[in-house]
Amino acid sequence: MTISPDLPQVLVIDDEMGPRESLRMLLKPNYQVHTASSVEAGIKILQEKHPDAVISDIRMPGTNGIDGLRRIREIDPHVAVIMLTGFGALETAQEALRLGANDYISKPFDAREMRDVISRNVERTRVQRTGEHAAAEIRELNNRLLKELAQKERLASLGQASAEFVHDLGNPLTIVWGYVQLLAKKLEQQEKAPGTESPTSAKELNIIEQNVRLCRELLTMWQSYGSVEAAPHKPISVSAIVREVVKGIGSIATGNGVELIVDISEDPCTLMGEGVQVTRAIQNVIINAVQASAEKKGKVTISCTRGDFYVDVRVEDTGTGMTAAQIPKIFEPYFTTKQHKSGTGLGLYITKKVVEDHNGSIKVDSTPEVGTTFTIRLPLASK
Ligand SMILES: Nc1ncnc2c1ncn2[C@@H]1O[C@H](COP(=O)(O)OP(=O)(O)OP(=O)(O)O)[C@@H](O)[C@H]1O
Ligand SMILES: [Mg+2]
């Protein structure tokens, strides 16, 4: 007779041949039966065959059933173990249950009771194992998802970082581009009218050089992305930064017919921070103001005012203004109304991040068709 591989397996451990063989005969029609005459032999079969139930005598020479039970439990916590006890050995049976046996049957056993107990326990093992298997699969799936999520987050933050980097490079490059055009125009005029006195280009070259240096600094900073946030804060002068930014943007504003009105505190307005970051934050706001005012040939008023504990950088424009619905969105990454002018929508998002990294705040007031005022407030270094 061939045994179906799907038949549940039962392991019988008993040193006496009589009960061992009678159990084999009794269970054979419904189970694959393995028999062992000692705990040692039984353990070996357990490890090889992973039976669905173990029936073990308690009293055996050598390793007894109770010690055997302990070892079975160490190997397989889910297999059902049924102990065979001598008549009236209730205490031993209780001890076995306490140690993790699932059931016990007194010898001599009743065939029907034995079949019932085994069928019940085989079922219990299968349910337990299926549950354990499903739980292991869920754990495995969960681990995989967590790993994927971590990778996606890393990729997303890298993508975000590259987009911010592209945006950061955009500001100084726009300035360089503006000045190169200006110089080209000067050269052209000179070529048209040779012999006229050459207008000085030192100022323009200086601004170009400064902005190329900023590009290089940004590049170095972004190359070590990840440590950007952790860059140590140094004393920086906000007044000097605003002055530099205004100098860089000045001729672009004039080129676009926008008037710049500037009022910068004589005080250095020193705070602990990162110069490159604060520069980009202020630059973004001023460039936005110039862009918003270009069409109307409006005015941009920039002030840097020192308070007792903070410095306010205020950028007021008489440009397009914004609707109430638009204002809450402007600090979101990628929100832009300048798609046609290749705006990335990252400018104000970056500004807000930098301001918050320096424990400051940014406020906006705007009226459509009238204009907009941004106020960046940064805490000063304590003296
Ligand atoms: N001063 C302003 N006046 C009117 N609208 C503004 C002003 N500043 C910002 N906005 C609005 O907020 C949006 C987001 O500004 P943000 O600087 O984040 O991106 P952007 O200027 O569109 O793109 P990028 O900064 O990459 O050039 C702008 O597209 C514009 O609609
Ligand atoms: Mg912008």
Side-chain angles (χ1 to χ4, degrees):
M1 186 183 95
T2 52
I3 299 169
S4 155
D6 287 339
L7 277 185
Q9 303 185 67
V10 175
L11 166 63
V12 179
I13 308 175
D14 199 324
D15 61 311
E16 285 175 82
M17 182 139 90
R20 207 168 62 217
E21 287 312 310
S22 65
L23 272 169
R24 186 204 289 281
M25 296 315 290
L26 177 72
L27 302 174
K28 220 164 75 176
N30 303 311
Y31 301 95
Q32 265 188 76
V33 186
H34 309 282
T35 54
S37 57
S38 68
V39 167
E40 269 68 33
I43 294 289
K44 239 173 128 187
I45 297 172
L46 176 79
Q47 284 167 326
E48 275 168 23
K49 306 283 184 192
H50 306 288
D52 299 286
V54 178
I55 306 161
S56 173
D57 192 16
I58 289 190
R59 216 172 321 141
M60 282 183 283
T63 313
N64 68 32
I66 295 289
D67 290 335
L69 172 63
R70 281 203 191 90
R71 289 181 53 194
I72 291 171
R73 276 285 161 260
E74 280 167 19
I75 296 166
D76 186 340
H78 298 301
V79 64
V81 181
I82 303 142
M83 305 307 286
L84 287 174
T85 61
F87 181 71
L90 200 59
E91 270 179 34
T92 335
Q94 278 169 343
E95 162 85 350
L97 289 179
R98 204 175 50 76
L99 285 171
N102 299 86
D103 233 320
Y104 68 91
I105 293 182
S106 313
K107 284 204 266 190
F109 52 81
D110 172 70
R112 220 179 115 163
E113 190 196 355
M114 177 60 89
R115 274 202 216 98
D116 286 350
V117 168
I118 291 181
S119 131
R120 202 168 59 224
N121 278 286
V122 160
E123 189 55 28
R124 186 205 319 244
T125 307
R126 295 210 150 180
V127 167
Q128 285 245 19
R129 281 189 182 151
T130 315
E132 178 60 23
H133 188 67
E137 268 183 12
I138 288 170
R139 269 199 303 274
E140 150 87 19
L141 192 69
N142 207 22
N143 279 341
R144 227 175 44 221
L145 284 177
L146 281 175
K147 267 190 208 140
E148 271 174 27
L149 191 68
Q151 194 173 1
K152 283 217 175 91
E153 271 173 6
R154 253 199 321 276
L155 280 179
S157 72
L158 211 68
Q160 182 95 348
S162 334
E164 287 180 21
F165 173 55
V166 169
H167 179 272
D168 282 358
L169 276 185
N171 287 347
L173 284 179
T174 308
I175 295 170
V176 169
W177 174 239
Y179 279 96
V180 167
Q181 279 184 320
L182 205 77
L183 284 180
K185 226 177 252 167
K186 277 189 182 179
L187 268 176
E188 202 183 317
Q189 279 164 1
Q190 223 177 304
E191 275 166 15
K192 272 191 199 147
T196 50
E197 199 183 323
S198 137
T200 170
S201 302
K203 189 178 128 229
E204 285 84 357
L205 281 173
N206 187 18
I207 291 171
I208 290 174
E209 192 198 332
Q210 258 174 12
N211 281 279
V212 170
R213 203 176 327 126
L214 179 64
C215 287
R216 210 179 49 208
E217 271 182 58
L218 285 169
L219 194 64
T220 322
M221 194 175 77
W222 283 109
Q223 270 167 344
S224 58
Y225 182 74
S227 55
V228 174
E229 313 276 328
H233 283 191
K234 290 184 238 145
I236 53 171
S237 158
V238 177
S239 313
I241 287 175
V242 177
R243 224 170 269 128
E244 281 303 308
V245 172
V246 169
K247 206 156 90 185
I249 287 161
S251 80
I252 294 183
T254 344
N256 279 291
V258 175
E259 186 189 349
L260 282 191
I261 301 163
V262 184
D263 177 17
I264 300 173
S265 163
E266 287 302 317
D267 187 280
C269 302
T270 307
L271 55 78
M272 295 301 289
E274 240 214 286
V276 178
Q277 304 273 20
V278 175
T279 302
R280 75 206 270 227
I282 294 173
Q283 205 172 42
N284 288 339
V285 175
I286 298 181
I287 287 183
N288 279 346
V290 170
Q291 287 171 341
S293 313
E295 224 167 275
K296 285 166 75 179
K297 312 272 179 239
K299 267 193 297 200
V300 174
T301 310
I302 302 159
S303 69
C304 174
T305 319
R306 201 206 135 107
D308 281 342
F309 302 106
Y310 53 79
V311 50
D312 277 342
V313 178
R314 202 162 168 276
V315 180
E316 183 182 351
D317 68 62
T318 58
T320 54
M322 287 178 273
T323 60
Q326 196 181 336
I327 293 174
K329 298 188 195 142
I330 58 174
F331 296 107
E332 286 172 13
Y334 311 114
F335 173 80
T336 181
T337 52
K338 300 172 198 164
Q339 288 89 350
H340 54 291
K341 291 183 204 146
S342 66
T344 66
L346 282 172
L348 288 178
Y349 163 74
I350 292 170
T351 296
K352 185 160 185 270
K353 209 166 86 164
V354 171
V355 168
E356 284 171 357
D357 280 351
H358 288 77
N359 302 316
S361 62
I362 180 160
K363 207 178 81 186
V364 54
D365 276 314
S366 190
T367 313
E369 306 305 326
V370 176
T372 305
T373 304
F374 277 91
T375 310
I376 295 177
R377 174 166 288 191
L378 295 165
L380 293 170
S382 46
K383 283 187 183 163

